[in-house]
Amino acid sequence: MAEALGLSRRSGKLTAYGSADGLPAQVAWRGGEAPGLCLLVRLPPGGDAAAREALQVAAGAAGAKPGQTAVGDGVVTRMWPYRTFGGLPKAETMIEEAKGILRAVRPAAAAGNACLVCKAVAVPEPFLVNGTVNRVCDGCLAKLEGAVEEAQRV
């Protein structure tokens, strides 16, 4: 699936990330009590409402079941659960669904290669920040890290 979406960077064996149709995206295997394959698409700050609306329109047009895709905290998430007796859905099905999600949220997430925080600095490739795909410039990353350190001291 990662190759079909153009995600060429890896973090271990179970996570692929990069730019999918110009959007910071990640495909990862999630283990635990509810294992499955997860697609994450990073949105710019304030992009949740527009992405949620775009996905509802796209889901209605495609006849998708509500609740298959979640939007929150600047991330679109689609989880395909692993079923004990059925495994995952067919790869082609998951790839088409993922491409549909990317098409739907693209207008809401149009930030090009700009930093998703300041929108002023070009960031050529997305990378993982705390395990989640992101496109943040060095200056904003330093500010975010500083804010986390400050919060931990309090």
Side-chain angles (χ1 to χ4, degrees):
M1 177 183 218
E3 291 81 16
L5 297 177
L7 305 178
S8 59
R9 302 182 82 187
R10 300 278 187 269
S11 176
K13 293 180 180 179
L14 303 177
T15 301
Y17 64 97
S19 184
D21 193 25
L23 303 173
Q26 170 181 355
V27 174
W29 177 258
R30 301 295 165 122
E33 292 182 26
L37 191 63
C38 185
L39 168 71
L40 302 173
V41 180
R42 174 63 68 184
L43 300 169
D48 286 11
R52 195 174 289 115
E53 183 179 333
L55 286 167
Q56 286 175 345
V57 169
K65 296 176 188 170
Q68 291 179 330
T69 304
V71 180
D73 297 326
V75 179
V76 176
T77 306
R78 171 63 165 107
M79 179 79 167
W80 291 275
Y82 178 82
R83 305 206 191 294
T84 304
F85 297 109
L88 289 169
K90 291 181 180 180
E92 298 82 18
T93 301
M94 293 188 294
I95 290 167
E96 285 308 310
E97 285 183 37
K99 287 181 177 179
I101 290 167
L102 291 166
R103 278 190 303 274
V105 301
R106 180 84 178 101
N113 284 345
C115 169
L116 293 176
V117 178
C118 70
K119 297 182 176 100
V121 178
V123 181
E125 284 295 321
F127 56 95
L128 297 181
V129 177
N130 293 329
T132 303
V133 70
N134 218 321
R135 181 176 275 141
V136 182
C137 70
D138 291 339
C140 290
L141 183 59
K143 288 177 189 174
L144 292 170
E145 289 172 343
V148 168
E149 289 174 11
E150 181 65 30
Q152 290 175 342
R153 279 188 247 147
V154 175

